Amino acid sequence: GKLIKTMFGRGRRIRGKTYAKRGRIKVSTNKKLALSIVPLTTLCLGIWQTKRLYWKLDLIEKREKQINADPSLLPSGPTHEMLEDIQFRPFYIIGTFLHDQEQYMMNRTYDHKPGCHVITPFRRADTGEIVLVNRGWVPLDKKDPRNRKDGQVEGLVTVIGLPRISEDKPNMFLPPNDPRNNTWYYRDLDAIAEHTGSTVGYIESVLDPNIAMPVGGQTILSLKNDHFEYLLTWFGLTIAGFIMIFKL
C-alpha cells in the first residue's frame, strides 16, 4: 500500500491497484477469410458493372449511328425480327393517312403537359400496305381531330420516322387497352394492327415543323447510363472492406 496524507495531517494507507493494458483483439485467419466474402462479393459486382458500362457505351454509340443515318425507304412486308433489327433508324414512306381510323395512346406528356399520342394508319402508295404511324403528341383538348383540322393532312405525303416494336404491359396498375374506344395505354402493335386492319409495321414520325399538331419527334432516344456510379460504389465498398479486415 501507499501512505498518503490527508488535509488533517493523518496518514491513510490505500491498497495499490493494478490496471492491465488492454491489447488488440486477435482475429483468427479463418474468421478473416470468412469476412472476406463480403468485399469479394462487392468486387465481383464492381467487375460486373464495369462490363455493363462498356456494353451500354457500345449500345449508345450504335444508337447514335442509327439515328444519324440518312433516311431510306421502309422495306416492304417487314417481319417483327426485321423491325427489331432496324429500330431507331430513320425510314420514309409515301402514301396517304387514313384519318378516320385514328387511335390514341393515352397518358403521354410533352413539356410537362398531359395528352396523348395520335396513331394513324397510313396506306403506302408503292405497296398498298397499311403501316401504323405515331404522328406525335396532342393535348387532351386537341384529341378530337375536329379541334386540329390543320394537322389532318390529305393527299399524298412523305413521312419520315423510326420503326419500333411492341412492348409488354409495363406494370399491373396500368389500365388495359380499350380497342372499342380506340384507346391504348401501351404499345401492343399486333392488337392495334388487328383492330385497324393494318398489315405490318409501325413507325414514330419525326418532328415536322410544318405541322403544329400533332407534335412529332416523341421517340425517347436517350439511354440511361448510371453504371459508372454503381461500379464506383461497389469498388469503394471493396476497398473499405479489405482495409477493415486487414486492421483486425
Side-chain angles (χ1 to χ4, degrees), residues 93-248:
I93 47 179
I94 302 173
T96 54
F97 282 111
L98 306 179
H99 293 296
D100 59 327
Q101 298 183 42
E102 273 189 357
Q103 307 295 304
Y104 308 101
M105 192 73 67
M106 304 304 296
N107 296 343
R108 298 300 188 265
T109 60
Y110 174 71
D111 198 22
H112 306 292
K113 298 176 182 178
C116 64
H117 287 181
V118 177
I119 300 176
T120 307
F122 184 91
R123 188 184 301 278
R124 295 182 58 164
D126 54 347
T127 65
E129 294 174 329
I130 300 177
V131 179
L132 294 171
V133 176
N134 184 331
R135 302 189 61 206
W137 176 89
V138 295
L140 295 178
D141 61 346
K142 299 287 186 181
K143 178 184 174 184
D144 189 332
R146 291 173 296 184
N147 296 332
R148 46 181 166 85
K149 294 180 179 180
D150 292 342
Q152 303 300 91
V153 291
E154 300 290 345
L156 205 63
V157 295
T158 299
V159 174
I160 299 176
L162 309 174
R164 299 299 308 278
I165 59 175
S166 286
E167 62 181 354
D168 295 328
K169 188 177 181 179
N171 57 70
M172 62 182 295
F173 303 105
L174 200 67
N177 289 326
D178 184 11
R180 286 187 176 184
N181 293 310
N182 300 330
T183 300
W184 309 83
Y185 295 93
Y186 61 96
R187 200 170 54 242
D188 185 347
L189 299 185
D190 288 336
I192 300 175
E194 181 180 357
H195 177 65
T196 59
S198 303
T199 47
V200 67
Y202 169 89
I203 65 173
E204 296 180 342
S205 64
V206 300
L207 181 64
D208 187 345
N210 298 317
I211 299 177
M213 291 287 171
V215 182
Q218 299 299 313
T219 306
I220 299 175
L221 300 173
S222 60
L223 291 170
K224 185 179 181 181
N225 185 12
D226 48 15
H227 298 293
F228 184 71
E229 290 81 0
Y230 285 137
L231 72 86
L232 286 180
T233 300
W234 291 126
F235 284 140
L237 291 172
T238 300
I239 295 172
F242 278 124
I243 290 175
M244 292 177 63
I245 293 173
F246 177 77
K247 288 184 176 181
L248 291 178

Side-chain angles (χ1 to χ4, degrees), residues 19-63:
Y19 296 92
K21 185 178 180 181
R22 291 185 178 181
R24 189 171 65 181
I25 300 175
K26 296 293 184 180
V27 178
S28 66
T29 301
N30 289 337
K31 288 184 178 180
K32 286 186 177 182
L33 290 175
L35 292 172
S36 297
I37 294 176
V38 175
L40 286 174
T41 301
T42 57
L43 175 63
C44 293
L45 290 171
I47 294 172
W48 175 66
Q49 284 296 335
T50 301
K51 293 181 180 180
R52 294 280 294 175
L53 173 63
Y54 284 107
W55 166 79
K56 184 59 71 68
L57 291 175
D58 289 340
L59 191 62
I60 292 173
E61 183 180 2
K62 179 182 177 181
R63 176 76 57 88

